Amino acid sequence: MMSTSRKRTLDDDLYDESPKHLRGGGGGGYGDDGDDLFNDDDLFEDNLVDHDGPPEPADDVEEDIAFGDITDAHRSRWTRPAVPSSVWKTSENDLNLQWLDIDMIGGSPLAANPNKNKKVLGASSGTVPIIRLYGVNETGNSVAVFIHGFTAYGYFALPRGYEVDGSDGNLGKIRSILEENLRAKLGSQFDKGDNTSNGETPMACLGVTCLSNKQSIMGYDPSHTKFLKVYVAMPGMIPKLKTIMEEGITLPGITNANGQEVRESMIFQPYECNVPYVMRYMIDRDVTGASWLSLPKGTYHLRKNESEKGTHCQIEADICFNEIIPRKPEGEWAKVAPLRILSFDIECQGRKGYFPEAEHDPVIQIANSLSVYGESKGPIVQNVFTLGGCLPIVGAQVISSNTEEDMLLKWRTFLHASDADIFTGYNVQNFDIPYLLDRAAALWKKKDSKLRIFTQWGRVKNCQTRKRETMFQSSAYGRRTNTETTIEGRVIFDMLPYMQRNHKLSSYSLNSVCAEFLSQQKEDVHHSIISDLQNGSDADRHRLAVYCLKDAILPQRLMDKLSVLINYVEMARVTGVPVSFLISRGQQIKVFSMILRKCRDVNLLVPTLKKSGSGGDEGYEGATVLDPIKSYYEIPIATLDFASLYPSIMQAYNLCYSTMLSPQEAAKTDPSMFKRSENGHNFVHSNVKKGILPIILEELLAARKRAKKDMKNAPTEFEKAVQNGRQLALKVSANSVYGFTGAGVGQLPCVPIASSVTSYGRFLLEKTKSYVEEHYTQAHGYEHNAQVVYGDTDSVMVKFGTKTVADTFPLAIEAAKKCSDLFPNPIELEFEKVYYPYLLMNKKRYAGLMWTQIEKYDYMDTKGLETVRRDNCALVREVIQTSLDKIIIERNVPGAIEYVKSQIADLLQNKMDISRLVITKSLNKGAEYALGLGGKAEDYKVKQAHVELAARMRKRDPGSAPQMGDRVPYVIITAAKGAANFEKAEDPIYVLENNIPIDSKWYLTNQLSNPLTRIFEPIIDNVEKSLLQGDHTRKIFIPTPTAKKGSLMMFAHKKATCMGCKASIGVDEGNLCKYCLPKEAEIYLGKLAVLKEAELRYAHLWSEAQRIHGTLHTDIMCTGDGCACQFYRRKKVQADIRLAQEQVDRFGR
DNA sequence: CGGAACACCTAA
DNA sequence: TGAGTTAGGTGTTCCG
Ligand SMILES: Nc1ccn([C@H]2C[C@H](O)[C@@H](COP(=O)(O)OP(=O)(O)OP(=O)(O)O)O2)c(=O)n1
C-alpha cells in the first residue's frame, strides 16, 4: 500500500466551538450528525493515477493448475459475462451493484481519496478497519468494494445533570486518559499491530467528542441526555473501552448536578457498544441488506492490475464510506441483480455399514448446478466431476479424473471460474463442505501448495476456507459437530436448515421435501451400493453421476420454486440486516437493527445493557384463553379476529421505550399527555412524542400488507402458498417487536412494555366478548342471544344462533365493525370466517368446516388436534382425519364408525404398514446427557422412549444414529409385561430387519383410544363399547415370538443343506456336499451374484436420505403414495438379500 | 395409585 | 452479545 504524505496531528484541535463537530486528525468524522467532518477544502496530491481504460489481462497467478480436459469451451460456459468497457470509465459512470455479503478486515489506511477533492476520513496510521462488500452489477459482473475510513465508536452517557467541559483541551485530556487505559487493557496486542512507517504513532483511542443533541431511548424524559462519543482504532477495542467506562474511571472536566467538579472515579453507561462494526456502518449510512448501492462517478478507484487486486471479483473498487449512495428498494432499484447460485452435492465411497469418514473414505463425485437469478431457461451449467470414467450425461458436462486429488482441484477451478454469489445444496453446511475440507486435509500434507490452492473457495485471494467447529466436549461417543464455515464473499445458503426453520414437516430428507414441494422424487441409490457402482463400469458410475447431479439440482429448484431468494432479499431490505444474518441468526437482530435505524433518525441512543446476571428474571402474564364451551356445534359459529393484535396495540397506545414514564414522572406530568396501561405503566401519547416501535411496526405491517395483496392476486395455489409464507414471515417479524421487549435474554428487554401489550390484549378480548354478548340479545331485537363459545388471545368464536351461513355473515360483519369502533386506531376487529359445523374439543383444540364466503366452504380447518401434531404416528393422524372428514364434511357418523372399526381390525391383525406406526419426536436439550454428548445428568430427568432409543442406536453405529435436533423415528415393540414405554421403542429399520413383533395392542390403547374417544364422545353413546371393544378387536394376530433376530442364520445351522445341490449335510460339514466341493469357487461366485442382484433390487425400492440420518427411516418405508404393496415388496426383497448374504457368509466360515 | 414434574408440540 | 413472547393440552415418568 502506498503511504500518505498527509500529516495529521491528533491531540490538538479535536474540537471547535460546536462540541459535536470534529475536525482534523484524530476523529472519525463521518456523517454522524449529517455533517462530514473533513469538509474544509484541503486538497491532496493524488497518488492514484486513473487511466480510464480496461485493465491488463489477468494472468492467472499461482492459483490455477492447468488441466487439459478443462477446455476454453468449459470455461466460457462457466464464467461470468465480460465486464463492459464502460465500467472502466470511472470518471464518467456510476458503479451500481446489489450487495449480498459483507465483512471486515484490518488493513492500512487508504493513501488518498479517489474523490480528489476530499480527504480520507478516519485514522491515517496503524491498523484500520476496512469493510469489504460483495455484490453484482446489472450486467452480472461480480464486484468487491473496499470501503475505507469508517471508524468504530461507542457512546457513553453522563449521569443526569452532569456536564463535561467540551473544550478541545479537556476532550484531548480525556482522550489521553482513555488511550492509556485502553493500551493497558490491550497489552501487547496493540503494539504488534503498529504501523509506524509514516512516522506517526498509531493510537487506540482516536478521538472524543461530546454530544448534547442526542438522548437515551429509555423513557419519555430520559436521564441521559449528554454523551461522550469515543472513536477507537479497531472495532475489537469497543468491548474493552466499554469495560473501562462501566467499571469506573476518573475523567477531567466533569461537573455534577451541583456544578462541582467530580474528582473521583465515575461510571458511564455505555450506549450502542454492542453493534457489530459492519452493522454500525450499514445503519449510519442507511445501507440495508441486499440493496442496491451506487458509487458515484469520480468518487471511486478501480483496481485494474491483478497484482493490485485483493479478490477474484471482476470489478474491485476502493471508495470512502461516505461516498456510497444507498438506493431505496423502490422503482428501478427494487430489482434483483443476475445473482449466480451454485448448488452442489458430493458422493463419498464409504465402507459398508459405516458412515463415510473423511479420514479414510474418498470423495468420488461432485455434481454442480449453476444458475442465474432471473434466467428463465434454467441452469446455465450442470456438470459432474467424477473419479474414474463415466458415460456422457445428456445436458451436463462430465469431467473425469484419475485421481481424487485431480478431481478436487478441477472442481476448485470450476468454483473459481463460476464465481457464485450463493452456495447452496442440501446439508452442505454440515456435511459436504466440512467433508471436502477434511478430505483435503487427509489427502495433502499441511504444507502442500495444492492444499492451499484447493481450499481457496472464497473471493479473497490467498484466503483458505476453514471450518470452525462449535465443538462440544464429547466424552465417549465423539463428535457432535456443528460446523460453521465462511467462504469470503459468498453466502452459504443451505436448504436443509432453511426447510427446517420455515416448514413444519415430519421428515426433512431431500427426497420427502421434494416430493412435497416439487412433486418429484429423485432416483434412489442406496448408500450401500455406491461403492459397488463406483468400482463398476463407466455405466455404473454414470448411474451414480445422474443421481448425484439430481441431488445438486433439486436444492436449487426448491429455492426457485419457493421464491426463497426474493423473499429473503425483501426481508433483508425491510429489516436492514445482511442476508447472511437471516440465515444464521434469529428475530432479535432484525428488531435490533430496525430500532437502531429509527433511533438514529430521531437522535435517540440505545443503551448497552449488562447481561442480567442472575438469569431467571420473572416472566409476565400473557394472553387470555377463554374457557371453551366444549361441544359439537351443528350451527354456524362466527370467528372475529383482531388484525395483528399486538402490533396494533403498540401503535394505538404508542408503547415504546421512548414514551414510557416512571410512576414518579407520571405524577408530575399533565395527565392529558399520557395514558396509563391496563397494568399500570404509563406511556405518553403519540402527539407528544411518537414511539420508535410504532414507527417500525408501521413499516413492517405495510410490507405485510403488500405481501397479502400479492397473495390474493397469486395465479396459482402454489404461488399463493409461497406468498402466504412471505406474509407470515413478516407477521412473525412484527410480532417479534413485541417479543423483543419481553425477551429475558436480549439486547434491550423491557418487560413493562411487553406486559402492557398483553394486558391491553386481555382487556380488548374481554371487552369484545362482553360487547357481543350484551349487544346481540333478544332484548336488542335479535332473534337469539349471542354467545361467545371460545376465544384465544385475539379472537372470539360467536354463536349468533343463526341456522345458516348466509344468515350469520351479516351479523358477524356488523359485529366486527361495531367492535372496531370501540377501539382506537389502528386496532381493528375483523370478521374472518365462519365454522360450520364446529367441533370444539378444548382450549387450543378444535376443528370446523371453514367458510369465508357464503356459497361454498373452503376446507376443514383443524387446530391443535392430533392430525396437526408431528409427534403422532400416521395411523392416528389418518384415522382421526378421516373420521373428522366423515363426521364433519360428509355428516356420516355410521360411516366413520365403520371406518374406525376396520382400521382397528387391521391394526390388531398386523395388516398395518409399519410406516403408519412410526412415531417421530425431536431430540432436544436434555437428551445430550443420555446420548453421552456431555450435558448434565440432572438435565435428563425423565426417561423418554425416543431418547433411550437414540442412545442405543448410537452404540450400534455412532455414524448413522440420530444427532441432536434430529427427529427420531421409532415404533413400539412387544416386551415383557410391565415394561416401561421407554424400553419398548425400536428403530423401524431394525424392527424390519430382525422381524421384531410390533405391539399393535399398544397402538390401540395408547395411541388411538384416547383421541378417538374424545372425538366420538360428543357424537355417539358409549364409545368404549362400540368402537374399542367390538368384535373387530377379537381377532388378534400374535406374531410368533420366535421370529427373533438372526433367525435365518440359526435355521441354516441346525438343518444345513448343501448350497450347491440342496442335499442334506451335517451341520459341521461345511457348506457343500462332497460332490459339489470341487465346484466351490463357481458356486460362491454364483451366490455373490445373487446377492448383488438382490441388493440392486432392494436399493431401487429404497428411498434414501444418505446424510440425514434421523429421517432416513421414515422415507424407506413411506414413499408418499402410501402404498402398502410397495412396502411388502420391499420387505420381501429385503428378506431375499438377507438370505443371499447369509449364503455368502457361510463360505466365509 | 394419584398427582407433580417434565417433555413435546402447538395456538396465538 | 447466540437465543422474539406466553398459554396450554396430552402423554409419560417419577415419587411419595
Ligand atoms: N408467533 C406469534 C403469533 C402470535 N403472537 C401474538 C401477537 C399477535 O398479535 C397475537 C395474535 O396472533 P395471530 O396469530 O392471530 O396473528 P395476528 O393477529 O398478529 O395477525 P393476523 O392479522 O393474521 O390475525 O398473538 C405472537 O406473539 N407470536
Side-chain angles (χ1 to χ4, degrees):
Chain A
M1 264 269 141
M2 291 158 274
S3 71
T4 177
S5 56
R6 252 178 308 165
K7 186 161 167 295
R8 288 179 190 164
T9 51
L10 294 160
D11 268 337
D12 45 35
D13 265 355
L14 274 178
Y15 303 95
D16 56 16
E17 301 75 35
S18 111
K20 66 179 158 52
H21 197 106
L22 184 70
R23 200 186 32 157
Y30 6 81
D32 180 38
D33 305 299
D35 37 38
D36 287 337
L37 303 170
F38 291 86
N39 46 9
D40 37 3
D41 306 321
D42 283 21
L43 280 172
F44 298 97
E45 276 173 76
D46 192 0
N47 290 327
L48 297 171
V49 187
D50 271 347
H51 3 249
D52 282 1
E56 301 147 29
D59 41 43
D60 251 317
V61 277
E62 14 99 37
E63 315 262 319
D64 260 330
I65 295 175
F67 287 104
D69 57 337
I70 294 183
T71 62
D72 287 350
H74 282 125
R75 282 176 170 278
S76 67
R77 291 274 303 279
W78 295 349
T79 52
R80 287 178 178 270
V83 178
S85 59
S86 58
V87 164
W88 305 110
K89 303 190 175 120
T90 60
S91 53
E92 290 170 32
N93 295 308
D94 295 354
L95 176 58
N96 302 316
L97 71 146
Q98 184 190 6
W99 76 275
L100 270 196
D101 200 16
I102 189 167
D103 62 17
M104 185 273 291
I105 47 159
S108 305
L110 192 63
N113 194 330
N115 185 353
K116 298 182 181 75
N117 299 322
K118 296 195 187 166
K119 287 184 182 179
V120 179
L121 303 182
S124 57
S125 65
T127 305
V128 298
I130 299 168
I131 295 163
R132 296 184 298 200
L133 203 127
Y134 310 88
V136 175
N137 68 4
E138 296 104 322
T139 316
N141 307 124
S142 54
V143 185
V145 183
F146 288 72
I147 302 171
H148 300 267
F150 185 75
T151 309
Y153 61 87
Y155 297 99
F156 301 92
L158 273 68
R160 192 198 277 277
Y162 281 49
E163 298 282 344
V164 61
D165 169 7
S167 71
D168 299 348
N170 187 56
L171 291 171
K173 281 188 217 155
I174 291 178
R175 194 211 64 78
S176 308
I177 292 169
L178 293 177
E179 174 80 27
E180 208 174 288
N181 279 271
L182 260 181
R183 280 179 183 272
K185 269 235 156 32
L186 293 164
S188 60
Q189 261 175 13
F190 185 66
D191 295 328
K192 256 191 276 168
D194 272 8
N195 172 359
T196 50
S197 58
N198 60 0
E200 296 176 20
T201 310
M203 298 190 302
C205 181
L206 297 180
V208 177
T209 61
C210 103
L211 307 174
S212 43
N213 66 332
K214 304 225 175 216
Q215 55 173 244
S216 169
I217 190 181
M218 300 306 275
Y220 166 63
D221 180 22
S223 45
H224 295 157
T225 56
K226 278 215 161 15
F227 297 88
L228 294 173
K229 182 177 182 179
V230 181
Y231 301 93
V232 293
M234 289 297 286
M237 298 170 181
I238 293 281
K240 303 209 165 62
L241 176 65
K242 170 171 159 277
T243 310
I244 292 166
M245 298 300 276
E246 63 191 0
E247 280 177 351
I249 186 167
T250 312
L251 294 179
I254 292 181
T255 49
N256 66 17
N258 302 324
Q260 297 155 325
E261 179 148 7
V262 180
R263 295 187 188 282
E264 61 276 19
S265 164
M266 259 177 74
I267 286 168
F268 298 84
Q269 166 68 43
Y271 277 72
E272 307 198 1
C273 290
N274 52 347
V275 184
Y277 175 71
V278 292
M279 255 188 56
R280 177 82 269 167
Y281 160 75
M282 288 167 60
I283 291 161
D284 286 4
R285 302 308 304 172
D286 252 329
V287 173
T288 57
S291 62
W292 284 89
L293 305 173
S294 295
L295 281 53
K297 57 188 170 207
T299 66
Y300 62 97
H301 160 74
L302 292 186
R303 302 186 184 179
K304 287 162 193 160
N305 304 319
E306 202 49 46
S307 57
E308 190 191 4
K309 282 177 69 179
T311 75
H312 300 302
C313 289
Q314 290 170 291
I315 302 166
E316 205 173 299
D318 285 292
I319 190 167
C320 285
F321 72 93
N322 52 347
E323 303 286 356
I324 297 178
I325 299 173
R327 301 294 187 180
K328 280 216 161 53
E330 296 158 359
E332 65 166 319
W333 304 115
K335 66 191 167 184
V336 174
L339 304 171
R340 296 192 141 212
I341 303 147
L342 175 63
S343 181
F344 76 104
D345 180 58
I346 68 172
E347 297 303 329
C348 316
Q349 187 169 26
R351 290 146 301 154
K352 265 225 167 66
Y354 293 93
F355 198 74
E357 285 171 39
E359 187 78 7
H360 313 104
D361 304 321
V363 176
I364 51 179
Q365 297 195 342
I366 310 175
N368 305 278
S369 170
L370 179 67
S371 55
V372 176
Y373 187 86
E375 176 63 66
S376 54
K377 292 194 286 280
I380 57 167
V381 176
Q382 301 188 342
N383 63 23
V384 190
F385 294 83
T386 68
L387 175 57
C390 175
L391 296 181
I393 298 173
V394 178
Q397 304 166 334
V398 175
I399 297 142
S400 301
S401 306
N402 291 324
T403 66
E404 192 185 356
E405 287 89 338
D406 279 359
M407 181 185 72
L408 294 181
L409 289 167
K410 285 178 194 172
W411 179 69
R412 218 284 320 195
T413 301
F414 167 68
L415 220 60
H416 185 171
S418 56
D419 188 22
D421 304 294
I422 294 168
F423 254 39
T424 186
Y426 213 70
N427 203 23
V428 283
Q429 182 79 91
N430 276 307
F431 181 78
D432 302 61
I433 291 174
Y435 198 95
L436 284 168
L437 292 173
D438 288 345
R439 188 64 193 150
L443 281 174
W444 286 297
K445 290 205 177 64
K446 255 211 170 69
K447 293 271 179 238
D448 196 323
S449 68
K450 283 182 178 167
L451 176 64
R452 196 169 44 74
I453 291 170
F454 173 72
T455 53
Q456 289 176 33
W457 297 354
R459 285 178 160 159
V460 174
K461 283 185 183 171
N462 298 313
C463 186
Q464 292 177 250
T465 304
R466 282 193 191 85
K467 68 197 176 91
R468 291 183 308 282
E469 289 191 355
T470 34
M471 272 277 271
F472 260 91
Q473 74 226 57
S474 50
S475 46
Y477 290 110
R479 67 233 161 71
R480 155 137 140 64
T481 54
N482 259 23
T483 324
E484 265 179 56
T485 325
T486 332
I487 301 178
E488 271 76 14
R490 313 190 202 277
V491 176
I492 301 176
F493 200 129
D494 192 336
M495 285 304 287
L496 171 62
Y498 172 85
M499 284 293 156
Q500 287 171 330
R501 260 200 191 194
N502 294 285
H503 299 275
K504 285 193 311 196
L505 303 170
S506 48
S507 168
Y508 291 97
S509 72
L510 182 56
N511 210 14
S512 73
V513 165
C514 289
E516 176 88 24
F517 296 101
L518 302 177
S519 323
Q520 190 170 24
Q521 299 269 11
K522 61 199 182 89
E523 193 205 345
D524 300 316
V525 174
H526 185 246
H527 60 263
S528 64
I529 66 163
I530 286 179
S531 195
D532 293 332
L533 291 176
Q534 173 65 15
N535 293 336
S537 62
D538 283 10
D540 289 332
R541 284 185 292 274
H542 171 265
R543 185 177 157 210
L544 192 54
V546 168
Y547 157 80
C548 186
L549 190 56
K550 201 131 198 199
D551 273 10
I553 292 167
L554 288 173
Q556 186 265 316
R557 284 227 180 118
L558 219 45
M559 203 176 207
D560 189 43
K561 189 90 188 283
L562 297 176
S563 306
V564 173
L565 211 52
I566 183 70
N567 287 350
Y568 265 45
V569 165
E570 176 189 34
M571 184 61 85
R573 289 172 175 178
V574 171
T575 61
V577 301
V579 170
S580 61
F581 281 22
L582 300 179
I583 298 164
S584 62
R585 311 222 5 214
Q587 296 292 334
Q588 283 213 46
I589 192 70
K590 300 188 207 174
V591 178
F592 194 48
S593 152
M594 289 187 285
I595 289 176
L596 289 166
R597 281 169 198 274
K598 289 302 155 212
C599 281
R600 202 172 171 280
D601 291 346
V602 293
N603 282 326
L604 293 180
L605 295 180
V606 180
T608 302
L609 302 180
K610 280 207 260 299
K611 261 191 278 192
S612 57
S614 57
D617 274 355
E618 228 119 291
Y620 59 94
E621 189 179 347
T624 310
V625 183
L626 299 177
D627 268 332
I629 300 170
K630 299 174 207 175
S631 179
Y632 178 54
Y633 296 90
E634 295 193 86
I635 57 171
I637 303 292
T639 303
L640 309 178
D641 193 323
F642 286 101
S644 300
L645 181 63
Y646 286 9
S648 66
I649 286 173
M650 297 177 84
Q651 289 178 284
Y653 300 107
N654 203 34
L655 307 185
C656 185
Y657 303 92
S658 66
T659 58
M660 199 161 75
L661 289 166
S662 68
Q664 296 86 329
E665 288 170 319
K668 289 183 279 179
T669 308
D670 178 355
S672 71
M673 284 170 63
F674 68 94
K675 185 171 161 61
R676 199 179 155 86
S677 80
E678 292 303 312
N679 69 337
H681 298 286
N682 308 291
F683 298 89
V684 299
H685 295 135
S686 63
N687 53 6
V688 177
K689 180 178 178 187
K690 182 148 188 180
I692 297 293
L693 301 181
I695 297 173
I696 291 169
L697 289 166
E698 217 169 278
E699 290 180 9
L700 277 172
L701 294 182
R704 183 181 180 208
K705 214 169 211 163
R706 289 196 294 273
K708 275 189 148 175
K709 196 172 119 213
D710 290 349
M711 175 168 85
K712 220 166 150 192
N713 298 334
T716 64
E717 278 308 302
F718 192 90
E719 183 58 24
K720 193 163 279 198
V722 168
Q723 292 305 324
N724 188 41
R726 169 184 168 212
Q727 173 271 123
L728 248 26
L730 289 162
K731 161 181 155 178
V732 169
S733 289
N735 287 337
S736 298
V737 174
Y738 145 74
F740 181 90
T741 65
V745 207
Q747 285 100 331
L748 204 59
C750 186
V751 176
I753 296 176
S755 64
S756 294
V757 171
T758 58
S759 71
Y760 272 122
R762 294 192 296 275
F763 170 77
L764 292 174
L765 187 69
E766 188 52 48
K767 193 99 188 226
T768 304
K769 173 180 146 78
S770 55
Y771 178 83
V772 169
E773 290 188 334
E774 281 162 23
H775 188 263
Y776 290 87
T777 58
Q778 288 168 330
H780 282 95
Y782 293 94
E783 229 169 291
H784 309 271
N785 288 333
Q787 187 185 22
V788 172
V789 298
Y790 178 57
D792 184 347
T793 309
D794 70 336
S795 64
V796 283
M797 278 43 165
V798 188
K799 185 180 76 179
F800 283 107
T802 43
K803 298 284 182 295
T804 66
V805 174
D807 290 343
T808 311
F809 265 59
L811 284 177
I813 291 167
E814 184 195 275
K817 171 146 191 359
K818 290 202 162 158
C819 288
S820 296
D821 290 344
L822 298 175
F823 309 125
N825 275 332
I827 295 172
E828 197 183 346
L829 189 68
E830 289 177 321
F831 163 58
E832 212 178 310
K833 60 206 167 187
V834 163
Y835 287 122
Y836 170 60
Y838 184 52
L839 177 64
L840 179 54
M841 310 244 316
N842 211 337
K843 283 182 176 179
K844 301 198 190 277
R845 287 168 62 87
Y846 59 82
L849 210 49
M850 187 172 107
W851 303 66
T852 58
Q853 52 202 342
I854 292 171
E855 295 75 28
K856 185 160 182 354
Y857 68 81
D858 297 66
Y859 53 87
M860 188 164 73
D861 197 16
T862 310
K863 292 289 162 67
L865 301 186
E866 285 75 10
T867 50
V868 296
R869 293 184 61 97
R870 290 175 297 173
D871 53 355
N872 276 275
C873 65
L875 171 68
V876 172
R877 288 203 305 267
E878 284 165 21
V879 169
I880 301 293
Q881 183 69 52
T882 311
S883 302
L884 288 174
D885 284 348
K886 288 191 189 297
I887 295 166
I888 290 177
I889 303 180
E890 298 171 27
R891 315 268 185 131
N892 177 4
V893 175
I897 294 173
E898 266 325 291
Y899 167 76
V900 170
K901 282 183 172 178
S902 76
Q903 288 293 309
I904 290 176
D906 281 1
L907 170 68
L908 293 180
Q909 290 164 44
N910 236 24
K911 289 188 196 159
M912 204 57 73
D913 183 333
I914 191 176
S915 68
R916 298 181 71 206
L917 301 177
V918 174
I919 300 167
T920 73
K921 285 196 182 178
S922 62
L923 224 41
N924 291 329
K925 192 124 183 82
E928 269 176 7
Y929 174 76
L931 295 194
L933 293 171
K936 296 187 195 99
E938 72 243 33
D939 286 343
Y940 187 53
K941 290 168 184 143
V942 177
K943 289 202 156 128
Q944 294 188 90
H946 66 292
V947 178
E948 294 294 301
L949 171 62
R952 257 183 289 139
M953 290 174 68
R954 206 172 181 79
K955 281 181 193 150
R956 283 180 207 153
D957 178 7
S960 70
Q963 312 247 324
M964 289 302 300
D966 286 352
R967 297 190 70 84
V968 184
Y970 64 93
V971 291
I972 295 295
I973 57 173
T974 54
K977 211 167 156 22
N981 197 30
F982 59 79
E983 298 169 300
K984 298 172 55 165
E986 191 43 271
D987 172 12
I989 293 298
Y990 192 79
V991 164
L992 270 181
E993 283 174 352
N994 297 292
N995 213 10
I996 297 169
I998 285 184
D999 191 348
S1000 41
K1001 198 81 195 289
W1002 183 90
Y1003 280 88
L1004 179 61
T1005 58
N1006 294 50
Q1007 289 282 114
L1008 276 175
S1009 165
N1010 281 346
L1012 279 174
T1013 310
R1014 282 191 295 260
I1015 284 182
F1016 282 94
E1017 201 129 58
I1019 298 167
I1020 60 174
D1021 298 332
N1022 216 338
V1023 180
E1024 275 293 295
K1025 272 250 167 59
S1026 44
L1027 270 186
L1028 305 172
Q1029 295 172 358
D1031 276 347
H1032 59 289
T1033 63
R1034 300 281 181 267
K1035 220 166 63 186
I1036 299 178
F1037 172 74
I1038 304 192
T1040 48
T1042 49
K1044 277 266 173 185
K1045 58 179 150 193
S1047 59
L1048 276 169
M1049 199 80 96
M1050 292 188 290
F1051 181 74
H1053 268 281
K1054 273 180 205 149
K1055 210 177 112 190
T1057 52
C1058 164
M1059 289 178 70
C1061 64
K1062 298 232 158 69
S1064 272
I1065 51 173
V1067 180
D1068 300 326
E1069 269 182 68
N1071 302 312
L1072 302 172
C1073 67
K1074 56 186 174 192
Y1075 302 105
C1076 291
L1077 210 48
K1079 298 184 288 186
E1080 178 170 9
E1082 193 183 317
I1083 292 168
Y1084 175 72
L1085 288 175
K1087 295 294 173 195
L1088 209 54
V1090 170
L1091 172 63
K1092 254 226 157 79
E1093 198 273 333
E1095 273 185 347
L1096 280 169
R1097 262 195 301 147
Y1098 183 46
H1100 188 69
L1101 289 166
W1102 190 317
S1103 316
E1104 70 84 35
Q1106 184 191 359
R1107 298 176 307 258
I1108 304 154
H1109 333 131
T1111 52
L1112 177 86
H1113 314 316
T1114 43
D1115 296 320
I1116 291 162
M1117 288 162 295
C1118 176
T1119 46
D1121 54 22
C1123 171
C1125 123
Q1126 274 252 343
F1127 164 68
Y1128 283 116
R1129 262 172 62 208
R1130 249 180 244 124
K1131 205 167 158 182
K1132 175 166 176 346
V1133 180
Q1134 208 166 21
D1136 289 351
I1137 295 181
R1138 201 157 49 227
L1139 191 57
Q1141 181 68 55
E1142 280 161 10
Q1143 293 191 335
V1144 170
D1145 287 348
R1146 279 172 66 183
F1147 281 90
R1149 284 193 298 272

